[in-house]
Amino acid sequence: MQTTMRMKQSQASFTLDLLRRNLDIRFSLEIKDPRSLPRQDKTFVGSQNASVIGKENRVDLFRFRLPLAQMQRVRESNSGGQIMLLISFDSPPKFYRKVKQIEATHDDKATFWSEWETWRRQTDVVYSPRELKFAPVSLKKAKPVIDIGRWTTYRFVFSPFELGNKYALICQALRDYNIEVSRAEPFEVDINRTPVVWDLIDNVPAQKSHSSSFLEEMASVGFTPLSFAVRYQLEVCISQGCLNEHNLSSEFITKLIQMEELAAKELLEHVASEKARIYNPMDIFNIKDIKGSSSKLKLPHYCVLMRSATVTPAMVYFDNPAVETTNRVVRQHIEDCDRFLRVRFMDEKFQGRIYSSEGHQDNEVFTRIKRTMANGITIGDRHFEFLAFGNSQLREHGAYFFAPLPHKTAADIRRGMGKFDHIKVVGKFAARMGQCFSTTRAINGTRVQIKETTDIIRNGYNFTDGVGKISPFLASMIAAELGLTGSREPPSVFQFRLGGCKGILGVSSEACGREIHIRPSQYKFPALHEGLEIIRWSQFAAASLNKQIILILSDLGVPDQVFVSKQQDMLSNLQLAMTDESQALLMLQRYIDPNQRTLAIAGMVLDGFQRVKEPFVVSLLHLWRCWSIKYLKEKAKVLIDQGAFLLGCVDETATLKGHFEKTLDEEPATDEEKLKLLPEIFIQVSDQTKNGSYIVIEGICLLARNPSLHPGDIRVVRAVNVPALHYMKDVVVLPQTGDRDLASMCSGGDLDGDDYFVMWDKDLTPTEWNHQPMDYTPSAPLEADHDITVDDITSFFVTYMKNDNLGKIATAHLALADFTEMGVKDEKCLQLADLHSKAVDFCKTSEPACMTKDLKPRKYPHFMENKGKAKEQIYQSERVLGQLYDQVERVDFAPVFDAAFDERILNAYQLNEKTLQDALDLKEQYDAAMRRIMAQHEINSEFEVWSTFVLHHAMLSRDYKFHEELGQISFALRDQFRNACYEKAGGKDFERLAPFVAAMYQGTQQQIGRAVAECKETKMVGGREVPAKEMNAKTMPLMSFPWLFPKVLGKIAKEQVHRGEPKVASAGMPELEVQPTPFAALVPSSRHTRVATGEDLLETKQGITNRGDILELFQDDSGSGNDPTDLLTGKALTSHSTRDGEQTEQTSSQGDGSHDEVALYGDLIDFGEVLRKPDELKGHGSTVFGEMPSEVRERPVCALEDLIDLTDGYDASPRGVLIVGDNSCDSNSDSSDSPSLTPTQSGQTETSHDDEHGGPETPALTDLVIGSDEIDEVEEDLDEVEEIMLDEVGNDDSPLEALMKMVG
């Protein structure tokens, strides 16, 4: 604590600024050398530069502002004839120091100057600021003069003789802003109290001691009493304000040490998750039973517990470890995953992001960030040093840190990521390193063959930038690994990482077996091969407008009434959907969110839960409506029925017509001529009204991507039906022909994973088509004249933050586009659009985008809600965005707790006590995990986490990024507890799982019922009757636990309607463990069989690359040579042919004649690849065993080379046929002749399959090589294979379900 008094040098002031709605406090403070003060240590730690005592003594003038919005109560008291005000805050205020050389703040080029420019933001107030240069960041600060971050209670002392009536006016003004001014209880101030906790838990030098104290004995041998896990959790509680270090005594630390490590850690995790201040720390030991600990639950294999820290200008906050999806680096060092720390740089609580700064006012903030990255973060005995940051982390101002080991440092990890020596642009160097930190799912045990192919570049534009190809078979394997077995076929496009390669892979029949075709634009750097990694995949999401798109369309000629009418229809439909099942289903299935939770809710409506007013489902529907209305109000997010938001891909068939430049003489005269000149796209989207069906869109469409600021960013295109592209679903296929690629015309996009929205709504077609697009070619990057160092990378990170003007530029563009007559075509708006593009490219060019003052708006429309602006700067907008804003009224979300639970489920089973108790035990753990997520991200209800429809959050990420992050968090939570439920239930099948899910539902109903009854009781408070308990999301029990299994609940409910009497769940449900038959048991012994292993091998033109080897591509530009195409036998014979000017390859496999080749097939996959008929296999020294199915004899079959190898753990398919012969794949086969896709007259595409024989639609295949002397043994084993398969797999199973059953 520090006391400041009015001084002669500068008068202290207390100002209530009603215009800016804050308290403005100014005061002088004399700062003296601590060595000269009484009762202080004469040693000043680290004060090597301040050898002369008092050399840096000074008087500084400080200032801080306290927002009224953060004030809830002010306490006052009288003492010694003086008035005291006591004000506490949940977050540190912004501290400023006045510079002493005023002339240094003048800029000769500036046309405006104010006194505000003389103030500099402060992060630390210490005697010698130079001592901070090499100091790491930690929660404990060494001898601060003012601890800005920890001191959040201020006492103001006034003399009543000088105040007059001003004090009464201030108190009245505070009350007018709903701030209570109340009398404070008497208290004492302890000025010189120093917290002892740090001395107790920090490691101290070994020394002799005769004390019998437990702590002193440990200190005497230099022992750190708390394990790191417990020490970390203690600092979480202190940093979050749950515990205060001044209240922590030796008794508290002793008690903590005496606990088991796991129990102490869970206790402190519980305290931190409650987010409540505990004034007597010893009270936490009275919490006898920490319910809901999930420490013993197994995490999903793709997840890890990650510790995190948020560094603000004045504080560092630590968070409870959270479940996160892993990335390549964490997986590579999974044994040391607890030594990673995820760090974010933010402004103080409630302030949001740290925004860019043009002048010098915030220099100390950015200096603190640089110091953190250079000096690291210290927690207990671990010192975390900067490691690197991912590309999305950079945009969110985050990075990874690592606590080194004697044999492993952050530098060692960086060296293992790849070779970056050839990159001399700092931003690009950091971006390439950031590829390794993309959140991915590893596809393990998959052997991949890489083929190098060329990019299509014309006029300096790359039409295939970021696009590769993947075989249908490999796509099926990936879909099975990711659990995408519910769909009829695998996704058409995957966004991926592989070594130093990135981008997307489109399914293509030109890729055979396990092939992936990589283009030079996808290969970024040589890197260690750590297997194929998937980021996401193609799927349907609803298209929506936003403020920028609406402004551009309005200025291109779309009438305002079109937008107003569509928004009104959406509001009306949302209201109707709350009571009408048909309307709810229509909207939920049409307006699909990126996490596809609307589809999950639609399934619950289909099962009748809305009809019976089930409380959880009704609450979800209300939340969905509130969330939709929130985004209508704030972002003008008007959902479009006739539209989709999809990944972009290229037309590999070169069928679609691209964009061609035209001269003025060629300007079309008629609409028909205009239509013919439009570039073409192909789009086939899921029919949301008919499961498994697709619709090919034809006609005029709008194509764009976010953000769009330039009038040329929205392209008018023509969607056409191309049968050869019918295999591409839920993606937008762009042409590879033309003078310029369409992707780059849409806000400078490419095809390495960019999303595009396509709208075929005729009402939105503008009168002006295809305004001249902007040139998005980035400027030449700034190259370093030396090898890039860590210091360069951290400096780039800070420079990026200081110049991150994207938000400011977009805000200025929005305000000017609404205010000016020309709208988005105004010259200033065009300049801002160009600046925005430059700011986006900052990561690549390291050149900042500086917005000049003439581009800053003078006035802002009311719909932008600029609460900090003066009234004269706000105007009432009459344009389309103002009309849309005024049309919407926000709706508050109130969960439904007092509705009856579904009797269909409650009466379905007669449950025993053990099953109910097991369910309740798991619910406690689930509820605790859910509450931790809510507390960490400051989310108000479990419904928001379950659905990802979040109304308010901590703003650690932007809304769109947080929606994606929360989707991963919510998915991991569901996965973790579903697995725990399977274990408790004794299996995954419905007969075992359904009773346990019913017990989950019944247990939840009992808890909610008791809480509702308690809320209906009353008590007397202040002479009036009030409810004994409030009924809201904070006080009521959680109810989302049983909805881990919405489909199981739906099946129980529907079956109960027809069942009648409830089933009896057995008292001792057997803990059966399904033991899948290993494929190794179904084939001859490995002693006699040569089987290719699947240890994540990569086969490239240069040879085999094993996991952990450097993957280098495009080293040989000759384009010739024989690539090995068969990993099992023989040599690959490669011939080259030319089609349409593009080189293609035809590959066949030829054995060496030393032995016969045997391949084991089930039903055969048709992906447009035509293989030789069975009779063509004869005559090659081969033999065919078994009865060939009739459909195979009657049509060409597709047998893919390099199929499922045995060591991957996959089984064969149900109706196995043993074929002996070579495997070949004709890449030149015409996919339009394939029987797998049949266009219909309605524009939909159907997948043909053998319903007649009950075979799977997309069966799995296996490839096995066996010597001819083992043929007899194989025949015997095949009989056993067939018996096992027919027992375990039913004819009604989909191929992927069958595959999953056989592998367990």
CSV table of all heavy atoms in Angstrom, one decimal, residues 906-948:
chain,number,residue,atom,x,y,z
A,906,LEU,N,-38.7,-41.2,-18.5
A,906,LEU,CA,-38.8,-41.5,-17.1
A,906,LEU,C,-39.5,-42.9,-16.8
A,906,LEU,O,-39.1,-43.6,-15.8
A,906,LEU,CB,-39.6,-40.4,-16.3
A,906,LEU,CG,-38.9,-39.0,-16.4
A,906,LEU,CD1,-39.8,-38.0,-15.7
A,906,LEU,CD2,-37.5,-39.1,-15.7
A,907,ASN,N,-40.4,-43.3,-17.7
A,907,ASN,CA,-41.2,-44.5,-17.4
A,907,ASN,C,-40.6,-45.7,-18.3
A,907,ASN,O,-41.3,-46.8,-18.4
A,907,ASN,CB,-42.6,-44.3,-17.7
A,907,ASN,CG,-43.3,-43.3,-16.8
A,907,ASN,OD1,-42.9,-43.2,-15.7
A,907,ASN,ND2,-44.2,-42.5,-17.3
A,908,ALA,N,-39.5,-45.5,-19.0
A,908,ALA,CA,-39.1,-46.5,-19.9
A,908,ALA,C,-38.5,-47.7,-19.2
A,908,ALA,O,-38.6,-48.8,-19.7
A,908,ALA,CB,-38.0,-45.9,-20.9
A,909,TYR,N,-37.8,-47.5,-18.1
A,909,TYR,CA,-37.1,-48.6,-17.4
A,909,TYR,C,-37.3,-48.6,-15.9
A,909,TYR,O,-37.5,-47.5,-15.4
A,909,TYR,CB,-35.6,-48.6,-17.7
A,909,TYR,CG,-35.2,-48.7,-19.1
A,909,TYR,CD1,-35.0,-47.6,-20.0
A,909,TYR,CD2,-34.9,-50.0,-19.7
A,909,TYR,CE1,-34.7,-47.8,-21.3
A,909,TYR,CE2,-34.6,-50.2,-21.0
A,909,TYR,CZ,-34.4,-49.0,-21.8
A,909,TYR,OH,-34.1,-49.2,-23.1
A,910,GLN,N,-37.4,-49.8,-15.4
A,910,GLN,CA,-37.3,-49.9,-13.9
A,910,GLN,C,-35.9,-50.0,-13.5
A,910,GLN,O,-35.2,-51.0,-13.6
A,910,GLN,CB,-38.1,-51.1,-13.4
A,910,GLN,CG,-39.6,-51.0,-13.7
A,910,GLN,CD,-40.3,-52.2,-13.2
A,910,GLN,OE1,-39.7,-53.2,-12.7
A,910,GLN,NE2,-41.6,-52.3,-13.4
A,911,LEU,N,-35.3,-48.9,-13.0
A,911,LEU,CA,-33.9,-48.8,-12.8
A,911,LEU,C,-33.5,-49.2,-11.4
A,911,LEU,O,-34.2,-48.9,-10.4
A,911,LEU,CB,-33.4,-47.3,-13.1
A,911,LEU,CG,-33.6,-46.8,-14.5
A,911,LEU,CD1,-33.4,-45.3,-14.6
A,911,LEU,CD2,-32.7,-47.6,-15.5
A,912,ASN,N,-32.4,-49.8,-11.2
A,912,ASN,CA,-31.9,-50.2,-9.9
A,912,ASN,C,-31.0,-49.1,-9.3
A,912,ASN,O,-30.6,-48.2,-10.1
A,912,ASN,CB,-31.1,-51.5,-10.0
A,912,ASN,CG,-29.9,-51.4,-10.9
A,912,ASN,OD1,-28.9,-50.8,-10.6
A,912,ASN,ND2,-30.1,-52.0,-12.1
A,913,GLU,N,-30.8,-49.2,-8.0
A,913,GLU,CA,-30.1,-48.1,-7.3
A,913,GLU,C,-28.6,-48.0,-7.8
A,913,GLU,O,-28.1,-46.8,-7.9
A,913,GLU,CB,-30.1,-48.3,-5.8
A,913,GLU,CG,-31.5,-48.1,-5.2
A,913,GLU,CD,-31.9,-46.7,-5.4
A,913,GLU,OE1,-31.1,-45.8,-5.3
A,913,GLU,OE2,-33.1,-46.5,-5.6
A,914,LYS,N,-28.0,-49.1,-8.1
A,914,LYS,CA,-26.6,-49.0,-8.6
A,914,LYS,C,-26.5,-48.2,-9.9
A,914,LYS,O,-25.6,-47.4,-10.0
A,914,LYS,CB,-26.0,-50.4,-8.7
A,914,LYS,CG,-24.6,-50.4,-9.2
A,914,LYS,CD,-24.0,-51.8,-9.4
A,914,LYS,CE,-22.5,-51.8,-9.7
A,914,LYS,NZ,-22.2,-50.9,-10.9
A,915,THR,N,-27.4,-48.5,-10.8
A,915,THR,CA,-27.3,-47.8,-12.1
A,915,THR,C,-27.5,-46.3,-11.9
A,915,THR,O,-26.8,-45.4,-12.5
A,915,THR,CB,-28.4,-48.3,-13.1
A,915,THR,OG1,-28.2,-49.7,-13.2
A,915,THR,CG2,-28.2,-47.7,-14.4
A,916,LEU,N,-28.5,-45.9,-11.1
A,916,LEU,CA,-28.8,-44.5,-10.8
A,916,LEU,C,-27.6,-43.9,-10.1
A,916,LEU,O,-27.2,-42.7,-10.5
A,916,LEU,CB,-30.0,-44.4,-9.9
A,916,LEU,CG,-31.4,-44.5,-10.6
A,916,LEU,CD1,-32.5,-44.6,-9.6
A,916,LEU,CD2,-31.6,-43.2,-11.5
A,917,GLN,N,-27.0,-44.6,-9.2
A,917,GLN,CA,-25.9,-44.0,-8.4
A,917,GLN,C,-24.7,-43.8,-9.4
A,917,GLN,O,-24.0,-42.8,-9.3
A,917,GLN,CB,-25.5,-44.8,-7.2
A,917,GLN,CG,-24.5,-44.1,-6.3
A,917,GLN,CD,-25.0,-42.8,-5.8
A,917,GLN,OE1,-26.1,-42.7,-5.3
A,917,GLN,NE2,-24.2,-41.7,-5.9
A,918,ASP,N,-24.4,-44.8,-10.2
A,918,ASP,CA,-23.3,-44.7,-11.2
A,918,ASP,C,-23.5,-43.4,-12.1
A,918,ASP,O,-22.6,-42.7,-12.4
A,918,ASP,CB,-23.2,-45.9,-12.0
A,918,ASP,CG,-22.6,-47.1,-11.3
A,918,ASP,OD1,-22.0,-46.8,-10.2
A,918,ASP,OD2,-22.7,-48.2,-11.7
A,919,ALA,N,-24.8,-43.2,-12.5
A,919,ALA,CA,-25.1,-42.1,-13.4
A,919,ALA,C,-24.9,-40.8,-12.6
A,919,ALA,O,-24.3,-39.8,-13.2
A,919,ALA,CB,-26.5,-42.2,-13.9
A,920,LEU,N,-25.3,-40.7,-11.4
A,920,LEU,CA,-25.2,-39.5,-10.6
A,920,LEU,C,-23.7,-39.2,-10.3
A,920,LEU,O,-23.3,-38.0,-10.3
A,920,LEU,CB,-25.9,-39.6,-9.3
A,920,LEU,CG,-27.5,-39.5,-9.4
A,920,LEU,CD1,-28.1,-39.8,-8.1
A,920,LEU,CD2,-27.9,-38.1,-10.0
A,921,ASP,N,-22.9,-40.2,-10.1
A,921,ASP,CA,-21.5,-40.0,-9.9
A,921,ASP,C,-20.8,-39.4,-11.1
A,921,ASP,O,-20.0,-38.5,-11.0
A,921,ASP,CB,-20.8,-41.4,-9.5
A,921,ASP,CG,-21.2,-41.9,-8.1
A,921,ASP,OD1,-21.7,-41.1,-7.3
A,921,ASP,OD2,-21.0,-43.1,-7.9
A,922,LEU,N,-21.2,-39.9,-12.2
A,922,LEU,CA,-20.6,-39.4,-13.5
A,922,LEU,C,-21.1,-38.0,-13.7
A,922,LEU,O,-20.4,-37.1,-14.2
A,922,LEU,CB,-20.9,-40.3,-14.7
A,922,LEU,CG,-19.9,-41.3,-15.1
A,922,LEU,CD1,-20.3,-42.0,-16.3
A,922,LEU,CD2,-18.5,-40.6,-15.3
A,923,LYS,N,-22.4,-37.7,-13.3
A,923,LYS,CA,-22.9,-36.4,-13.5
A,923,LYS,C,-22.2,-35.3,-12.7
A,923,LYS,O,-22.0,-34.2,-13.2
A,923,LYS,CB,-24.4,-36.4,-13.2
A,923,LYS,CG,-25.1,-35.0,-13.4
A,923,LYS,CD,-26.6,-35.0,-13.1
A,923,LYS,CE,-27.2,-33.7,-13.5
A,923,LYS,NZ,-26.7,-32.6,-12.8
A,924,GLU,N,-21.8,-35.7,-11.5
A,924,GLU,CA,-21.0,-34.8,-10.7
A,924,GLU,C,-19.7,-34.4,-11.4
A,924,GLU,O,-19.3,-33.2,-11.4
A,924,GLU,CB,-20.7,-35.4,-9.3
A,924,GLU,CG,-21.9,-35.5,-8.4
A,924,GLU,CD,-21.5,-36.0,-7.0
A,924,GLU,OE1,-20.3,-36.5,-6.9
A,924,GLU,OE2,-22.4,-36.0,-6.1
A,925,GLN,N,-19.1,-35.3,-12.0
A,925,GLN,CA,-17.8,-35.0,-12.7
A,925,GLN,C,-18.1,-34.2,-13.9
A,925,GLN,O,-17.3,-33.3,-14.2
A,925,GLN,CB,-17.1,-36.3,-13.1
A,925,GLN,CG,-16.7,-37.2,-11.9
A,925,GLN,CD,-16.1,-38.5,-12.3
A,925,GLN,OE1,-15.1,-38.5,-13.1
A,925,GLN,NE2,-16.6,-39.6,-11.8
A,926,TYR,N,-19.1,-34.6,-14.6
A,926,TYR,CA,-19.5,-33.8,-15.8
A,926,TYR,C,-19.9,-32.4,-15.5
A,926,TYR,O,-19.4,-31.4,-16.1
A,926,TYR,CB,-20.7,-34.5,-16.6
A,926,TYR,CG,-21.2,-33.7,-17.7
A,926,TYR,CD1,-20.7,-33.7,-19.0
A,926,TYR,CD2,-22.4,-32.8,-17.5
A,926,TYR,CE1,-21.2,-33.0,-20.0
A,926,TYR,CE2,-22.9,-32.1,-18.5
A,926,TYR,CZ,-22.3,-32.2,-19.8
A,926,TYR,OH,-22.9,-31.4,-20.8
A,927,ASP,N,-20.7,-32.2,-14.5
A,927,ASP,CA,-21.1,-30.8,-14.1
A,927,ASP,C,-19.9,-30.0,-13.7
A,927,ASP,O,-19.8,-28.8,-14.0
A,927,ASP,CB,-22.1,-30.9,-12.9
A,927,ASP,CG,-23.4,-31.5,-13.3
A,927,ASP,OD1,-23.6,-31.7,-14.5
A,927,ASP,OD2,-24.3,-31.7,-12.4
A,928,ALA,N,-18.9,-30.6,-13.0
A,928,ALA,CA,-17.7,-29.8,-12.6
A,928,ALA,C,-16.9,-29.4,-13.8
A,928,ALA,O,-16.4,-28.3,-13.8
A,928,ALA,CB,-16.9,-30.7,-11.6
A,929,ALA,N,-16.8,-30.3,-14.7
A,929,ALA,CA,-16.0,-30.0,-16.0
A,929,ALA,C,-16.8,-28.9,-16.7
A,929,ALA,O,-16.1,-28.0,-17.3
A,929,ALA,CB,-15.9,-31.2,-16.8
A,930,MET,N,-18.1,-29.0,-16.8
A,930,MET,CA,-18.9,-28.0,-17.5
A,930,MET,C,-18.7,-26.6,-16.8
A,930,MET,O,-18.6,-25.6,-17.5
A,930,MET,CB,-20.3,-28.4,-17.6
A,930,MET,CG,-21.3,-27.4,-18.1
A,930,MET,SD,-21.0,-27.0,-19.9
A,930,MET,CE,-21.8,-28.5,-20.7
A,931,ARG,N,-18.8,-26.6,-15.5
A,931,ARG,CA,-18.7,-25.3,-14.8
A,931,ARG,C,-17.3,-24.7,-14.9
A,931,ARG,O,-17.2,-23.5,-14.9
A,931,ARG,CB,-19.0,-25.5,-13.3
A,931,ARG,CG,-20.5,-25.8,-13.0
A,931,ARG,CD,-20.8,-25.8,-11.5
A,931,ARG,NE,-22.2,-26.3,-11.3
A,931,ARG,CZ,-23.3,-25.6,-11.4
A,931,ARG,NH1,-23.2,-24.3,-11.8
A,931,ARG,NH2,-24.4,-26.1,-11.1
A,932,ARG,N,-16.3,-25.5,-15.0
A,932,ARG,CA,-14.9,-25.0,-15.3
A,932,ARG,C,-14.8,-24.3,-16.6
A,932,ARG,O,-14.2,-23.2,-16.7
A,932,ARG,CB,-13.9,-26.1,-15.2
A,932,ARG,CG,-13.5,-26.5,-13.7
A,932,ARG,CD,-12.2,-27.3,-13.7
A,932,ARG,NE,-12.4,-28.6,-14.3
A,932,ARG,CZ,-12.8,-29.7,-13.6
A,932,ARG,NH1,-13.1,-29.6,-12.3
A,932,ARG,NH2,-12.9,-30.9,-14.2
A,933,ILE,N,-15.5,-24.9,-17.6
A,933,ILE,CA,-15.5,-24.3,-18.9
A,933,ILE,C,-16.2,-22.9,-18.9
A,933,ILE,O,-15.8,-21.9,-19.4
A,933,ILE,CB,-16.1,-25.2,-20.0
A,933,ILE,CG1,-15.2,-26.4,-20.2
A,933,ILE,CG2,-16.3,-24.5,-21.3
A,933,ILE,CD1,-15.9,-27.5,-21.1
A,934,MET,N,-17.4,-22.9,-18.2
A,934,MET,CA,-18.2,-21.7,-18.1
A,934,MET,C,-17.4,-20.6,-17.3
A,934,MET,O,-17.4,-19.5,-17.7
A,934,MET,CB,-19.5,-22.0,-17.3
A,934,MET,CG,-20.4,-22.9,-18.1
A,934,MET,SD,-21.7,-23.6,-17.1
A,934,MET,CE,-22.5,-22.2,-16.3
A,935,ALA,N,-16.7,-21.0,-16.2
A,935,ALA,CA,-16.0,-20.0,-15.4
A,935,ALA,C,-14.8,-19.5,-16.2
A,935,ALA,O,-14.5,-18.3,-16.2
A,935,ALA,CB,-15.5,-20.7,-14.1
A,936,GLN,N,-14.1,-20.4,-16.9
A,936,GLN,CA,-12.8,-19.9,-17.6
A,936,GLN,C,-13.2,-18.9,-18.7
A,936,GLN,O,-12.4,-18.0,-18.9
A,936,GLN,CB,-12.1,-21.1,-18.2
A,936,GLN,CG,-10.8,-20.8,-18.9
A,936,GLN,CD,-10.1,-22.0,-19.4
A,936,GLN,OE1,-10.4,-23.1,-19.0
A,936,GLN,NE2,-9.0,-21.8,-20.1
A,937,HIS,N,-14.3,-19.2,-19.4
A,937,HIS,CA,-14.6,-18.3,-20.5
A,937,HIS,C,-15.7,-17.3,-20.2
A,937,HIS,O,-16.2,-16.6,-21.1
A,937,HIS,CB,-15.0,-19.2,-21.7
A,937,HIS,CG,-13.9,-20.1,-22.2
A,937,HIS,ND1,-12.9,-19.7,-22.9
A,937,HIS,CD2,-13.7,-21.4,-22.0
A,937,HIS,CE1,-12.1,-20.7,-23.2
A,937,HIS,NE2,-12.6,-21.8,-22.6
A,938,GLU,N,-16.1,-17.3,-18.9
A,938,GLU,CA,-17.1,-16.3,-18.5
A,938,GLU,C,-18.4,-16.5,-19.3
A,938,GLU,O,-19.0,-15.5,-19.7
A,938,GLU,CB,-16.6,-14.9,-18.5
A,938,GLU,CG,-15.4,-14.7,-17.6
A,938,GLU,CD,-14.8,-13.3,-17.7
A,938,GLU,OE1,-15.5,-12.4,-18.1
A,938,GLU,OE2,-13.7,-13.1,-17.2
A,939,ILE,N,-18.9,-17.7,-19.4
A,939,ILE,CA,-20.1,-18.0,-20.1
A,939,ILE,C,-21.2,-18.3,-19.0
A,939,ILE,O,-20.9,-18.9,-18.0
A,939,ILE,CB,-19.9,-19.3,-21.0
A,939,ILE,CG1,-18.9,-19.1,-22.0
A,939,ILE,CG2,-21.3,-19.7,-21.6
A,939,ILE,CD1,-18.5,-20.3,-22.8
A,940,ASN,N,-22.4,-17.8,-19.3
A,940,ASN,CA,-23.4,-17.7,-18.2
A,940,ASN,C,-24.1,-19.0,-18.0
A,940,ASN,O,-24.6,-19.3,-16.9
A,940,ASN,CB,-24.4,-16.6,-18.5
A,940,ASN,CG,-23.8,-15.2,-18.4
A,940,ASN,OD1,-22.9,-15.0,-17.6
A,940,ASN,ND2,-24.3,-14.3,-19.2
A,941,SER,N,-24.2,-19.9,-19.0
A,941,SER,CA,-25.1,-21.1,-18.9
A,941,SER,C,-24.5,-22.2,-19.6
A,941,SER,O,-23.7,-22.1,-20.6
A,941,SER,CB,-26.5,-20.8,-19.4
A,941,SER,OG,-26.5,-20.8,-20.8
A,942,GLU,N,-24.8,-23.4,-19.2
A,942,GLU,CA,-24.4,-24.7,-19.8
A,942,GLU,C,-25.0,-24.8,-21.2
A,942,GLU,O,-24.4,-25.5,-22.1
A,942,GLU,CB,-24.8,-25.9,-18.9
A,942,GLU,CG,-26.3,-26.0,-18.7
A,942,GLU,CD,-26.7,-27.2,-18.0
A,942,GLU,OE1,-26.1,-28.3,-18.2
A,942,GLU,OE2,-27.7,-27.2,-17.2
A,943,PHE,N,-26.2,-24.2,-21.4
A,943,PHE,CA,-26.9,-24.3,-22.7
A,943,PHE,C,-26.0,-23.7,-23.8
A,943,PHE,O,-26.0,-24.2,-24.9
A,943,PHE,CB,-28.2,-23.7,-22.6
A,943,PHE,CG,-29.1,-24.2,-21.5
A,943,PHE,CD1,-29.1,-23.5,-20.3
A,943,PHE,CD2,-29.9,-25.3,-21.7
A,943,PHE,CE1,-29.9,-24.0,-19.3
A,943,PHE,CE2,-30.7,-25.8,-20.7
A,943,PHE,CZ,-30.7,-25.1,-19.4
A,944,GLU,N,-25.3,-22.6,-23.4
A,944,GLU,CA,-24.4,-22.0,-24.4
A,944,GLU,C,-23.2,-22.8,-24.7
A,944,GLU,O,-22.8,-22.8,-25.9
A,944,GLU,CB,-24.0,-20.6,-23.8
A,944,GLU,CG,-25.2,-19.6,-23.7
A,944,GLU,CD,-24.8,-18.4,-22.8
A,944,GLU,OE1,-24.0,-17.6,-23.4
A,944,GLU,OE2,-25.3,-18.3,-21.7
A,945,VAL,N,-22.7,-23.5,-23.7
A,945,VAL,CA,-21.5,-24.4,-24.0
A,945,VAL,C,-22.0,-25.6,-24.9
A,945,VAL,O,-21.3,-25.9,-25.8
A,945,VAL,CB,-20.9,-24.9,-22.7
A,945,VAL,CG1,-19.8,-25.8,-23.0
A,945,VAL,CG2,-20.4,-23.7,-21.9
A,946,TRP,N,-23.1,-26.2,-24.5
A,946,TRP,CA,-23.6,-27.4,-25.2
A,946,TRP,C,-23.8,-27.1,-26.7
A,946,TRP,O,-23.5,-27.8,-27.6
A,946,TRP,CB,-24.8,-27.9,-24.6
A,946,TRP,CG,-25.3,-29.3,-25.1
A,946,TRP,CD1,-25.0,-30.5,-24.5
A,946,TRP,CD2,-26.1,-29.5,-26.2
A,946,TRP,NE1,-25.6,-31.5,-25.2
A,946,TRP,CE2,-26.3,-30.9,-26.3
A,946,TRP,CE3,-26.7,-28.7,-27.2
A,946,TRP,CZ2,-27.0,-31.5,-27.3
A,946,TRP,CZ3,-27.4,-29.3,-28.2
A,946,TRP,CH2,-27.6,-30.7,-28.3
A,947,SER,N,-24.5,-25.9,-26.9
A,947,SER,CA,-24.9,-25.6,-28.3
A,947,SER,C,-23.9,-24.7,-29.0
A,947,SER,O,-23.9,-24.6,-30.3
A,947,SER,CB,-26.2,-24.8,-28.2
A,947,SER,OG,-26.0,-23.6,-27.6
A,948,THR,N,-22.9,-24.1,-28.3
A,948,THR,CA,-21.9,-23.1,-28.8
A,948,THR,C,-22.6,-21.8,-29.2
A,948,THR,O,-22.0,-21.0,-29.9
A,948,THR,CB,-21.1,-23.7,-30.0
A,948,THR,OG1,-21.8,-23.9,-31.1
A,948,THR,CG2,-20.4,-25.0,-29.6
